[in-house]
């Protein structure tokens, strides 16, 4: 079992939180389980890439951020389907 998330997984998690309307820095830290330093690092990356923008005291997704989040969601669905197929195949072989 993996215990560490990849940077891509963390970015996807941040985009999910921002998409839900909980785009304050403290909400992102809490819901994505990041330290303040890591939160700042990832928010900076996401702003630089044009995926989020700051609106008052919170963050919102840009159109590009919405598209990337949609891609992440599709990838997660495919990963789940692949896991199901793998488990089913292994069960057939045992």
């Amino acid at each position: 079992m993996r215990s560490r998330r990849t940077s891509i997984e963390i970015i996807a998690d941040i985009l999910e939180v921002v998409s839900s309307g909980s785009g304050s820095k403290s909400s992102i830290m809490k819901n994505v389980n990041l330290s303040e330093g890591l939160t700042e690092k990832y928010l900076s990356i996401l702003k630089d890439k044009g995926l989020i923008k700051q609106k008052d005291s919170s963050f919102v997704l840009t159109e590009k951020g919405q598209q990337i989040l949609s891609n992440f969601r599709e990838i997660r669905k495919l990963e789940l389907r692949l896991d199901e197929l793998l488990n089913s195949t292994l069960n057939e072989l045992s």
Side-chain angles (χ1 to χ4, degrees), residues 6 10 16 20-21 54-55 57 59-60 64 69 81 83:
T6 65
I10 292 170
E16 285 287 359
S20 74
Q54 194 157 4
K55 189 173 184 181
S57 62
F59 296 92
V60 294
K64 183 178 177 182
L69 178 57
R81 181 66 181 132
D83 282 344

Side-chain angles (χ1 to χ4, degrees), residues 34-74:
L34 293 175
S35 67
E36 185 173 3
L38 281 175
T39 302
E40 289 288 344
K41 172 188 167 185
Y42 281 103
L43 290 176
S44 178
I45 290 168
L46 294 173
K47 286 189 289 185
D48 290 347
K49 298 291 183 185
L51 303 180
I52 62 171
K53 63 183 176 183
Q54 194 157 4
K55 189 173 184 181
D56 299 321
S57 62
S58 70
F59 296 92
V60 294
L61 293 182
T62 62
E63 189 174 318
K64 183 178 177 182
Q66 291 171 353
Q67 181 58 52
I68 295 295
L69 178 57
S70 177
N71 292 348
F72 282 136
R73 287 174 175 162
E74 187 64 27

Side-chain angles (χ1 to χ4, degrees), residues 18-36:
V18 172
S19 173
S20 74
S22 301
S24 70
K25 187 174 126 181
S26 61
S27 179
I28 293 167
M29 286 174 58
K30 176 184 165 192
N31 290 299
V32 183
N33 195 25
L34 293 175
S35 67
E36 185 173 3

